[in-house]
Every structure is written in structure tokens, then in C-alpha cells.
Amino acid sequence: MTTYTVTRVRKELSAGGTHRHLEGVITNTNTHWTRGQVVASINAGNTWRTSTGGHSATITTMHYCPRGTCLAGPYIKTNPNSSQLDNLENLPKGGPREDRPPGRSVLTHPRYRKTA
């Protein structure tokens, strides 16, 4: 089995536009993985960990986003402990998807659309 090290996260606007949740992660090899890919890998027996500032935490799976009635899933999380640095939600952001709602490409999102 393989151990993957996550150093950054990508977030996206929820379908209802009420919050940002994890879209995926970026590993120490600069590879992007979606939540679903991470969950499938964990279910296949691989280990996923965060790493930042000398701290580390194991990533586990959950069915849905932990925010109220948000049904985005499958979802991933770390257990809060004495250091918040290694918590998945607190890792540095990375990647171009940060400002786009789910399902919107750079070509269709108003922020990126060129105007005449």
C-alpha cells in the first residue's frame, strides 16, 4: 500500500453558495486528487496524511460535507487535535478552482469571461 502526503487543499463554493468546502487535495508531488479519488484510494487500503509545519494528521472518510445540510460527498476529514496546523481544512489553498462554483469551467465563469 502507498502513503500519500497532502500539503495543500482546493476548495469550491457549495452548490447552494452558502460556504466553501473541499474539492480536492494537492500532494507533496504537486498532484491534484479530487475528494472522490482520495476516498476510493483510502477504501483500497492506501494511507493519506496531511503535513505542514512539522505536524501531521491522518485523513479519513465521511459520507457528506460536515456543514449542516450540505450533501457534497463523499468527503474527507482529519480529526482535530492539539495542533490545528495539520487539520485538512486549515492547510494552505492551492490551485485555480478556488473562485469557481462546482461544475463551472474557467470558460463559463463570469469572473474569467472576457468582455468586449
Side-chain angles (χ1 to χ4, degrees), residues 38-54:
V38 173
V39 168
S41 178
I42 291 170
N43 289 341
N46 295 306
T47 300
W48 286 76
R49 299 187 60 77
T50 62
S51 179
T52 186

Side-chain angles (χ1 to χ4, degrees), residues 21-22 35-36 39-40 42-43 60-78:
H21 56 219
L22 295 174
R35 287 187 322 254
V39 168
I42 291 170
N43 289 341
T60 59
T61 64
M62 58 190 301
H63 293 289
Y64 301 107
C65 173
R67 292 285 301 261
T69 59
C70 182
L71 297 177
Y75 212 77
I76 52 180
K77 67 174 185 159
T78 50

Side-chain angles (χ1 to χ4, degrees), residues 2-6 25-27 31-34 37-43 45-50 56-60 76-78:
T2 304
T3 297
Y4 296 91
T5 303
V6 173
V25 299
I26 301 169
T27 63
T31 304
H32 171 258
W33 295 72
T34 66
Q37 290 172 320
V38 173
V39 168
S41 178
I42 291 170
N43 289 341
N46 295 306
T47 300
W48 286 76
R49 299 187 60 77
T50 62
S56 175
T58 300
I59 297 173
T60 59
I76 52 180
K77 67 174 185 159
T78 50

Side-chain angles (χ1 to χ4, degrees), residues 51-111:
S51 179
T52 186
H55 297 276
S56 175
T58 300
I59 297 173
T60 59
T61 64
M62 58 190 301
H63 293 289
Y64 301 107
C65 173
R67 292 285 301 261
T69 59
C70 182
L71 297 177
Y75 212 77
I76 52 180
K77 67 174 185 159
T78 50
N79 288 324
N81 57 19
S82 60
S83 172
Q84 292 186 354
L85 294 174
D86 57 15
N87 292 346
L88 196 54
E89 295 281 348
N90 295 337
L91 291 181
K93 296 179 196 172
R97 293 185 59 106
E98 294 297 322
D99 297 322
R100 290 187 290 163
R104 304 271 313 256
S105 75
V106 170
L107 300 175
T108 61
H109 192 281
R111 179 175 177 178

